[in-house]
Amino acid sequence: MNRRALHVPLLMIVAIGLSLPLGTLEATTVNGNITGTVHVKRARNNGNVVVYIDKIPGKTFAPPGNHPAMDQKKMVFIPHVLPIVVGTTVDFLNSDPVNHNIFTPSAAGDKFNLGTWPAGIVKTYTFKKPGIVTLLCNVHPEMSAYIVVTETPYFDVTNSNGAFTIRGVPPGSYSVSAWHERSKRAVTQTVTVPASGSATVNFEL
Amino acid sequence: MGKRKFLLMGLCLAAVIAVLDNDPAFGVPSFARKYHTSCSTCHIAPPKLNGFGRAFRNNGYRMPGNDEDLIKQDRVQLGAPAWKQVWPEGLWPSDIPGGTFIGIALESNLSITPKARVTTEFDGIEEVGLLLGGTLGETFSFFSDLELFEDGKPGGIGRAFVNYTPSHQFNLTVGMFEPRAAPFSNHLRLTRQTSYLTNVFPTVPAGNFFGFSPNQRGVELWGGAEGPKKKGGLLYSFGVVNGQFGGAAEALEESPLRSTIEEIEEEAEEHGGEFDVNSGKDVYVQASYKIGGLGVFGGGATESLTQTNNWRDDSLTLGGYYYRGTTGAFIGNEEEEEFLNSGNHFYRAGVTADWWFKDLNVFAAYQYNHDRLRDRREFNAKLFMVEGSYVLPWPWIIPAVRFESVDPSFGRSFNRTTLSATILLRANALLTFDGTASRKAPNLPIFENQIKVGFRVYF
């Protein structure tokens, strides 16, 4: 084969490569994690802190198709803290042999009141505003829970030692916040996730 | 009743003093349970408080700093904290102790009085006390000591009060409490055999049995602020109380003055009054400033509950107090005597100093007592007290010595010395040795030198 004949296959390969969609190129980027620990003053332990990435300009995220659940069992909300992305519909269960109620005094939840219902019935609510939604039971005042409505799906809840891991975060610089029910407002820091690997950030609340 | 009987009562001054002993001595086991910590965290030897214990008390019976971190006992929620967001459309939330908040104190003594008719006497279990203490929500706390059984008889309430402590600057106490105007707390003393004379000394010829201890009933506003770098600081108090007897009348039930006191009370009732409570309330103010040492609210305290050398709090606290009261009195001469509900306007004023240096603590008080009856008769007394204690290298042995002098205008001056040694068998079990000797005291059996060996346990 002469040199002129070789040029044609090479040109074809380059043309094919240039025509590949960018998404295919992106698929080769490795998402990282944001890990760290949170210490909460005046709390029995460092658990139930929601650590989340704040709103990313120009990006919106669709809520998940499956509904996360919050149960009421043995006179306790389970989980005590539930982070969700805005637009998510939450299923509220009653697994106790008594009636329970759920209402919120929070503006982020439009101060809804789902009423009082017995075991076995599931009620739902779609959270359309970002913010902290406090849940209370009108029948059992010792019960409380929190739903943290975020604008990104990147969040985690700390364990009792304060450790968290936010997974699958694309490389970039983000505003990351930590919130605990005892803190008056969330604490925010800027975190940069490298092209490959993880970033670490710690919080003191 | 005439003045003569009061003069006779004056001679029995010694009897009054001698029986005004032994306010209950309590540590608070309920706090040990709440925080799963030893009595020695707050007490040098129960009931005497170390600097951390005083800060704990000033914080409304909460640990300085991170109280939540240190609580080991579950509480019963009276509404989740989130109900604060519902208020005023709902109740403000609170909590109550989830476990037992009651402690028990047992005390047994052996008294040795060489010149008494009965020279040696065991009292068995001389006292069974209940001690209640705890917090309610974020800003309320309660405290009470009840004498279930004392000297073979049912006892009564020593103190019972509720604190509202929303801030360091302004706090409120309501109930039956020992006023903070007392120069030093009689309930928290290390030398157990005798009460502080400054706290209980009555003006017998005026019929005034007022005393700071064991309690007064009323309201007390108190607070303070920590000093620079969270060291030391200011404490103040202002109170309005009934001004009833300081336990003197009850203490005299078994004394030769019993019938006299009863006569006085009967005559007071015939005249339409109560001898010890009237419409005119007593008021007092007190302030002190601590130089150096732990902050008065615990500033500078470490996160952990230290056990070694935790009695050290190098500091000097200077204070002053003024208590003004009104009580009933018989006015006029023997032929034209009348009882007036507000027949005696009196005051107690004094200064205090409390010095802590390494293992040594020395505190002193000078107090001036003044009673002025409506018929212009006046009775005064100057009182001085100094007490020192030292924690030995073996910290379970604490010797102490107290010296008191009284110079009344209506009787002979005298002084009293008390030697004491406390041995901590355990953090909650103590052996105490106290010896009292008086000089120039009236020649009465009650003033004879005495040694007392005691055992106390708290649980």
Side-chain angles (χ1 to χ4, degrees):
Chain A
M1 182 182 262
N2 59 24
R3 285 183 188 173
R4 199 174 280 178
L6 278 175
H7 288 168
V8 172
L10 279 173
L11 284 171
M12 287 177 65
I13 291 170
V14 170
I16 292 169
L18 286 173
S19 70
L20 287 174
L22 287 175
T24 309
L25 284 175
E26 282 184 359
T28 62
T29 303
V30 177
N31 288 346
N33 299 332
I34 300 177
T35 63
T37 56
V38 183
H39 177 247
V40 185
K41 297 179 190 175
R42 294 189 298 275
R44 289 236 192 152
N45 60 58
N46 298 311
N48 283 328
V49 178
V50 178
V51 186
Y52 57 94
I53 293 179
D54 292 321
K55 179 177 176 60
I56 301 171
K59 284 210 164 185
T60 57
F61 298 90
N66 55 326
H67 297 176
M70 178 162 281
D71 198 0
Q72 295 173 88
K73 191 172 183 180
K74 293 185 180 179
M75 305 304 184
V76 173
F77 281 105
I78 299 173
H80 179 65
V81 177
L82 176 66
I84 59 173
V85 70
V86 66
T88 300
T89 299
V90 175
D91 290 345
F92 293 98
L93 286 62
N94 179 359
S95 299
D96 269 339
V98 298
N99 287 357
H100 278 302
N101 161 274
I102 292 182
F103 79 98
T104 178
S106 305
D110 287 328
K111 300 189 179 182
F112 70 75
N113 188 332
L114 299 181
T116 304
W117 69 97
I121 294 177
V122 178
K123 299 221 173 183
T124 61
Y125 185 84
T126 301
F127 292 85
K128 298 176 182 174
K129 297 179 184 175
I132 309 297
V133 181
T134 303
L135 301 180
L136 296 167
C137 174
N138 238 337
V139 184
H140 307 101
E142 68 275 15
M143 295 177 61
S144 69
Y146 298 87
I147 292 182
V148 180
V149 187
T150 65
E151 296 184 84
T152 72
Y154 305 111
F155 47 70
D156 193 20
V157 181
T158 61
N159 61 20
S160 60
N161 295 324
F164 68 90
T165 301
I166 302 174
R167 302 181 191 281
V169 181
S173 185
Y174 302 101
S175 172
V176 179
S177 294
W179 174 88
H180 184 266
E181 63 185 277
R182 283 188 170 265
S183 51
K184 291 181 180 177
R185 58 183 65 86
V187 174
T188 302
Q189 298 187 60
T190 301
V191 179
T192 301
V193 177
S196 62
S198 297
T200 300
V201 62
N202 300 315
F203 290 89
E204 185 87 11
L205 303 183
Chain B
M1 196 205 77
K3 296 178 194 176
R4 289 183 187 176
K5 197 163 282 187
F6 276 114
L7 289 175
L8 179 64
M9 289 168 65
L11 290 175
C12 293
L13 179 62
V16 169
I17 296 163
V19 299
L20 294 177
D21 290 343
N22 289 333
D23 275 339
F26 290 132
V28 192
S30 55
F31 296 134
R33 291 191 184 91
K34 180 178 180 181
Y35 297 101
H36 282 202
T37 190
S38 170
C39 313
S40 52
T41 298
C42 290
H43 295 276
I44 298 171
K48 179 164 178 156
L49 295 171
N50 58 25
F52 188 84
R54 292 194 297 277
F56 176 81
R57 177 172 171 250
N58 290 336
N59 272 300
Y61 303 115
R62 291 176 177 81
M63 288 293 183
N66 294 341
D67 183 68
E68 275 294 329
D69 283 355
L70 300 169
I71 295 174
K72 301 296 191 296
Q73 195 180 55
D74 286 337
R75 287 160 291 176
V76 175
Q77 295 281 350
L78 305 181
W83 277 88
K84 294 177 189 175
Q85 301 177 37
V86 182
W87 190 87
E89 281 80 32
L91 292 177
W92 193 267
S94 183
D95 60 64
I96 58 176
T100 181
F101 52 88
I102 299 175
I104 292 178
L106 301 178
E107 181 172 342
S108 179
N109 295 295
L110 163 67
S111 299
I112 303 171
T113 315
K115 293 184 180 178
R117 185 173 59 85
V118 178
T119 58
T120 309
E121 185 178 1
F122 289 100
D123 63 19
I125 297 293
E126 119 106 7
E127 184 176 309
V128 177
L130 277 188
L131 191 63
L132 292 74
T135 56
L136 307 168
E138 295 175 335
T139 52
F140 286 94
S141 56
F142 63 95
F143 187 100
S144 181
D145 62 76
L146 313 172
E147 297 155 37
L148 282 183
F149 175 74
E150 187 180 11
D151 287 337
K153 296 174 297 186
I157 300 175
R159 288 168 293 168
F161 57 86
V162 174
N163 290 323
Y164 175 59
T165 53
S167 68
H168 288 170
Q169 293 78 23
F170 300 105
N171 305 280
L172 205 63
T173 296
V174 179
M176 297 169 59
F177 51 87
E178 185 181 49
R180 287 172 184 252
F184 293 100
S185 172
N186 210 43
H187 295 280
L188 298 176
R189 69 188 193 277
L190 189 65
T191 48
R192 299 308 310 165
Q193 189 171 2
T194 55
S195 295
Y196 295 144
L197 287 173
T198 50
N199 290 37
V200 300
F201 187 77
T203 307
V204 175
N208 184 4
F209 296 91
F210 161 80
F212 292 108
S213 307
N215 64 69
Q216 288 291 335
R217 300 172 192 180
V219 176
E220 183 175 77
L221 175 71
W222 55 277
E226 294 192 324
K229 299 180 182 177
K230 292 193 174 182
K231 288 186 173 294
L234 170 74
L235 287 173
Y236 78 90
S237 66
F238 168 74
V240 180
V241 296
N242 276 351
Q244 69 259 20
F245 286 168
E250 184 181 336
L252 291 168
E253 279 182 2
E254 303 299 322
S255 81
L257 288 173
R258 175 185 178 182
S259 58
T260 305
I261 295 289
E262 287 175 351
E263 263 189 66
I264 294 170
E265 289 178 334
E266 284 170 8
E267 292 201 39
E269 282 179 21
E270 283 179 17
H271 288 80
E274 292 181 44
F275 201 76
D276 60 344
V277 178
N278 49 62
S279 295
K281 297 300 140 186
D282 294 2
V283 296
Y284 59 85
V285 294
Q286 169 270 341
S288 64
Y289 194 86
K290 181 180 180 184
I291 305 165
L294 197 65
V296 291
F297 294 102
T302 60
E303 296 259 343
S304 59
L305 304 177
T306 56
Q307 295 297 314
T308 53
N309 297 334
N310 61 358
W311 56 86
R312 292 184 175 180
D313 184 27
D314 293 359
S315 60
L316 173 64
T317 302
L318 301 173
Y321 57 95
Y322 179 80
Y323 182 107
R324 186 171 194 87
T326 306
T327 191
F330 284 93
I331 307 300
N333 58 37
E334 221 168 306
E335 289 77 30
E336 297 179 355
E337 198 171 67
E338 65 171 326
F339 175 81
L340 294 180
N341 273 339
S342 304
N344 178 4
H345 294 275
F346 68 95
Y347 68 78
R348 307 284 183 260
V351 291
T352 58
D354 188 5
W355 179 51
W356 296 71
F357 181 70
K358 295 193 187 304
D359 303 316
L360 175 70
N361 173 224
V362 177
F363 58 91
Y366 174 82
Q367 178 171 300
Y368 185 75
N369 292 6
H370 176 75
D371 287 68
R372 189 171 195 274
L373 305 188
R374 291 275 286 270
D375 59 6
R376 300 193 179 183
R377 282 181 293 148
E378 292 187 358
F379 304 94
N380 305 309
K382 300 172 192 173
L383 295 89
F384 174 75
M385 177 193 79
V386 60
E387 179 171 307
S389 62
Y390 188 82
V391 181
L392 295 179
W394 289 341
W396 43 273
I397 305 178
I398 306 170
V401 59
R402 187 202 321 163
F403 173 80
E404 299 168 286
S405 71
V406 180
D407 180 17
S409 64
F410 47 89
R412 189 168 66 180
S413 301
F414 67 95
N415 59 55
R416 182 171 72 180
T417 304
T418 302
L419 296 176
S420 170
T422 301
I423 296 178
L424 287 151
L425 302 173
R426 300 288 186 273
N428 68 328
L430 298 85
L431 203 58
T432 58
F433 299 86
D434 291 275
T436 301
S438 302
R439 186 166 172 266
K440 294 185 179 179
N443 186 21
L444 293 171
I446 303 170
F447 254 101
E448 290 166 344
N449 298 341
Q450 186 185 66
I451 295 172
K452 185 176 279 190
V453 180
F455 172 75
R456 294 200 310 277
V457 64
Y458 308 90
F459 54 92

